[in-house]
Each structure stands twice: as structure tokens, then as C-alpha cells.
Amino acid sequence: MSAPTPTGRKFLGRLPLPERNYLAEALRTETVGGVLLLIAAIAALLWANTPLSHSYEAVSDFHIGPSALGLDLSVQHWAADGLLAIFFFVAGIELKRELVAGELRDPKAAALPVIAALSGMIVPALVYVLVNKTGGGSLSGWAVPVATDIAFALAVLAVIGTSLPSALRAFLLTLAVVDDLFAILIIAVFFTSDLNFAALGGAVAGLVVFWVLLRKGIRGWYVYIPLALVIWGLMYNSGVHATIAGVAMGLMLRCTRNEGEKHSPGEHIEHLVRPVSAGLAVPLFALFSAGVSVSGGALGKVFTQPETLGVVLGLVVGKAVGIFGGTWLAARFTRAELNEDLAWPDVFALASLAGIGFTVSLLIGELAFSTDPALTDEVKAAVLTGSVIAAVLSGVLLKLRVRKYRALYEEEERDEDRDGIPDIYEQDDPGYHLRMAELYEAKAAEHRRLAEHAGAAREDGDGPA
């Protein structure tokens, strides 16, 4: 191992205990949601490629909603614009928390994952553009391979039975959060139709009201849910993609803890909404977006058309090369030292896993080729194909190191004294138990003092008998 760098910073080092506990809870929900996402995607493919395919199209194209409010939408449209707003609401909270209390709060620490994520978006886009420039295809889909689907990636980890150390999982989550941020910006900037300024002004006014109510400490779902629906409806009618409303509201929540708070309001709401997002919204979106024809002819086109080949290569090659290359360069120039328990092939395996770009990639594919339904389905098939190849490749790479990961994971989880604190954190801090004993004794003394004071007050007649 090389000598410590002057900065003393560790890349993929052990997380602080509060961050580790938060991460474990968040990823547990996402893993369950990812398995449901896989089930929904498989169900959609089976439904769309059997004699019942006509019913799939009928249900997806069925329109429902008040036309007077401009919301007479198909079921597929409701899933993409409505349910995904919940997904992006959670993404907004995650981003806010990362900025104020997580990996992104320190600019120096944030530089490496941000550079890695940006490289992991720029290189896939360049791969797509290069393939389509040389092949004479459309450049409209350049943004399709830029996103990472954290739920799908975690589902792959659950299926192959790999227990990654918390530092690798945290890095993957941070990549996905930054990915989501820039995917949101791409959707807002490049996929906004003709603006309705009256509706947009109403949406902004609604967001201001939402922000004021939060700052005033007003509580009650019966206040915020109706207001959120109004904001979403106005945002949809403004021409800006409606999921932006979810992100904006998520970013407004306070994600820092005040004295005496076990969880911040943002963390509390995320804890309530994340299961709805991971367990309902995203799987339903997958059900009505992943149902594409996978006949031999359609799969053949995936590797022969420049648009679809660009998506596959962008996800499989662009993501892995971009994230790994960006991480290596950022670590070299920031002089961050890789955790001695891990190796650079681990980073490459994680970068390959990030090539699973399911949810947001499908959404951007629908937006990029909305005027060509046939090409839209082919691009969706390419997203599915690229994601599966990335999942298989990363699964093989991770399996090669599964014993090392399992040993690190078990070491992180070991709690022989059953006090709720992993032993490895107590070993790092030998004075932990002594400080806890002193804290408990101080609290006990304070309780005794208050009890004595209350008893004296009752004897003097100053307090209730």
C-alpha cells in the first residue's frame, strides 16, 4: 500500500455510523422496490409478447382524467408523468439531503463522485453521438443512455447475492443521485414543449405557497397533498415536464436535524414516501413502458440501427468507461487514496453496474422519439437489452470478488455485544463505552436533581400535590 497522501482522504473509506444507518434503511427499501421493478418489467414483456398483446395496448392507451383541466391522459401517460413525479420527489429529497448532510455537503469530498457521475453521463452521450454520426442515425436520443437506475441495480445485487460493503453502496447511490439531478435538468431544458406562461406562473406560485407553509411549520397531509396535485397539474399544462414539480417540492424540504429531532422533516417524509415510489410508482411505470416486442426481428434491429446500437453501447461501454475513467482521474488529481480493502477492479465492476439505465432511460426514450412510435419501441428494446448486458457483465465481475465483499460486509455488521453499534466502530473508538457510561450517569444525575427539586416544591406548597 502506498504512503498516505498529504490530504489524508480515503476514497471508498468506511462511512460514519449515522450515514451508514441511513444508507442501510434507504437501500433496503430500494432493493425490495428493485425486485418489484424486475417483476413488473418481465410481466410487461410477457403481456406484450403473447396473444394478449392487444389487451396490453388497449389498457396502456386507455384515456382517463378531466379533459377540461387538460388532463385527459392515457394510462401510460399517467404512469410516466404522474407516478414518476413521486419517484422524482424522492430523488429531490435525496439530493437535498446529500447536499446538506451527505457526501455532497463538502465540496472537496463531493468532487470525486460528481466528476465520476458527470463522466458517466458525458461519455455515454458521446458514444451515442459517435455511433449515429457515423451511421447516419438521429441524434435526438443522445440523452437516453445517460441515466443510472439505482433500484434495478440493487435488484441485480439481490438476485446475484452480493453483499457490497457500505462504502461501495454509498458511492453507487451518490452516483445515482447526481445522475438523477442532471437527468432532471436534461428533461427540463431539452424536452420542454411550447410554454404556457400562465400555467407556469401558477405552478411557481404554488411552489412559493408550498415553501412558505413549510417554513411556517404547517403540518398535515390534507394541506400538502392537494397543493402538490395542483402544482403538478399546472406544471403539466405549462409545457415543462410534470416530474419537475416533484423534484422542486422535494428540494424544498428541510433535511437537517434540529436539536432534539431524531429525523429531519425531509428524512421523515422520505421514509413515508419512498416505499410508495419504489413499491408502486416505479413498478407501474415499468409495467406500462417496458412492454415492447422482443421478436427476433426486433432484437436484430437493436444491433443494426444506429439509434438503438448507440443506446446499447452507451449503456454498456460508455457508462463503464466514463465512470471508471472519471473516478480514476479525479482520484489522481485530488490525491484521494483508495481504501486498502478494495481495488480498482471493484470500481470498474460498480461502473458496469451503473450501466443499468432502466427507468429514466425509458422515460427519456419516450420523450426523445415521441413523434415516431415504432422507433420509440425499438429504443425501449435497446434500453432493455443494454441494461440486461450491463447487469450480466457487472454480475460476473462482482461475483469474482464476492468472498472479499462478504468478508467486509460481515465485518461491518458484526455486533457481538448486541448493543446496536457494530463492533468495528467501537474498535475504531476505544473510548466509546466510557463516554456512553458518563453520558448515562450525567442524565441519571439530572433526573435525580429534577425529582428532588419537584419534591421540595410540593413540600413548600409551590407545586401540585
Side-chain angles (χ1 to χ4, degrees), residues 167-235:
L168 283 175
R169 289 176 178 259
F171 186 62
L172 181 62
L173 179 61
T174 304
L175 285 175
V177 168
V178 178
D179 246 20
D180 287 341
L181 167 63
F182 287 101
I184 290 159
L185 293 175
I186 288 170
I187 291 170
V189 174
F190 295 99
F191 298 104
T192 294
S193 55
D194 295 334
L195 288 177
N196 180 329
F197 288 99
L200 182 59
V204 172
L207 288 171
V208 170
V209 172
F210 189 89
W211 183 83
V212 170
L213 292 176
L214 288 174
R215 292 302 173 271
K216 294 290 184 182
I218 305 298
R219 297 187 177 185
W221 63 267
Y222 46 83
V223 174
Y224 290 101
I225 290 182
L227 177 58
L229 291 173
V230 170
I231 294 170
W232 175 87
L234 288 168
M235 189 70 76

Side-chain angles (χ1 to χ4, degrees), residues 297-312:
L299 289 177
K301 289 183 179 179
V302 166
F303 297 100
T304 56
Q305 288 192 151
E307 293 89 352
T308 51
L309 181 60
V311 169
V312 173

Side-chain angles (χ1 to χ4, degrees), residues 15 17-29 97-98 165-171 173-174:
L15 299 176
L17 186 58
E19 185 70 14
R20 172 195 171 278
N21 292 339
Y22 167 83
L23 179 76
E25 182 180 352
L27 294 185
R28 192 178 300 115
T29 304
R97 187 191 172 280
E98 287 289 327
S166 59
L168 283 175
R169 289 176 178 259
F171 186 62
L173 179 61
T174 304

Side-chain angles (χ1 to χ4, degrees), residues 442-454:
K443 287 185 176 180
E446 178 67 11
H447 285 309
R448 288 195 297 271
R449 187 186 67 77
L450 291 174
E452 291 170 0
H453 178 74

Side-chain angles (χ1 to χ4, degrees), residues 242-433:
T243 54
I244 302 302
V247 178
M249 287 184 278
L251 286 170
M252 290 182 182
L253 295 175
R254 176 168 62 82
C255 292
T256 52
R257 300 176 189 179
N258 289 336
E259 186 176 354
E261 284 185 336
K262 187 176 181 181
H263 300 289
S264 68
E267 291 171 325
H268 175 66
I269 293 172
E270 182 186 7
H271 178 74
L272 295 175
V273 179
R274 185 187 287 275
V276 178
S277 169
L280 180 67
V282 174
L284 280 178
F285 168 75
L287 181 64
F288 292 108
S289 291
V292 296
S293 173
V294 289
S295 63
L299 289 177
K301 289 183 179 179
V302 166
F303 297 100
T304 56
Q305 288 192 151
E307 293 89 352
T308 51
L309 181 60
V311 169
V312 173
L313 292 179
L315 289 172
V316 177
V317 179
K319 273 288 181 184
V321 172
I323 292 175
F324 179 80
T327 303
W328 186 83
L329 287 173
R332 182 171 182 179
F333 285 106
T334 61
R335 306 180 74 181
E337 185 180 283
L338 182 65
N339 180 0
E340 60 271 12
D341 292 327
L342 299 169
W344 282 107
D346 299 317
V347 179
F348 186 80
L350 205 68
S352 299
L353 186 66
I356 300 173
F358 191 76
T359 306
V360 179
S361 291
L362 288 177
L363 175 62
I364 295 177
E366 290 180 357
L367 297 173
F369 300 103
S370 58
T371 58
D372 190 341
L375 186 53
T376 298
D377 283 348
E378 291 164 2
V379 167
K380 286 183 180 180
V383 170
L384 293 172
T385 303
S387 296
V388 169
I389 294 173
V392 172
L393 174 61
S394 60
V396 171
L397 294 175
L398 291 169
K399 271 294 187 182
L400 294 175
R401 295 269 290 170
V402 68
R403 289 184 180 178
K404 181 66 174 180
Y405 297 149
R406 188 177 293 122
L408 291 173
Y409 181 79
E410 290 173 354
E411 184 182 10
E412 286 183 0
E413 295 295 315
R414 187 179 297 112
D415 183 17
E416 293 181 356
D417 55 6
R418 300 184 183 279
D419 63 352
I421 308 294
D423 297 340
I424 197 167
Y425 284 91
E426 295 170 359
Q427 293 167 7
D428 289 347
D429 186 4
Y432 172 82
H433 285 297

Side-chain angles (χ1 to χ4, degrees), residues 84-114:
L84 276 196
I86 301 173
F87 166 80
F88 279 109
F89 174 70
V90 174
I93 299 175
E94 286 179 338
L95 176 61
K96 178 67 172 289
R97 187 191 172 280
E98 287 289 327
L99 288 170
V100 301
E103 288 289 304
L104 303 180
R105 71 186 182 281
D106 178 5
K108 290 183 179 179
L112 199 149
V114 169

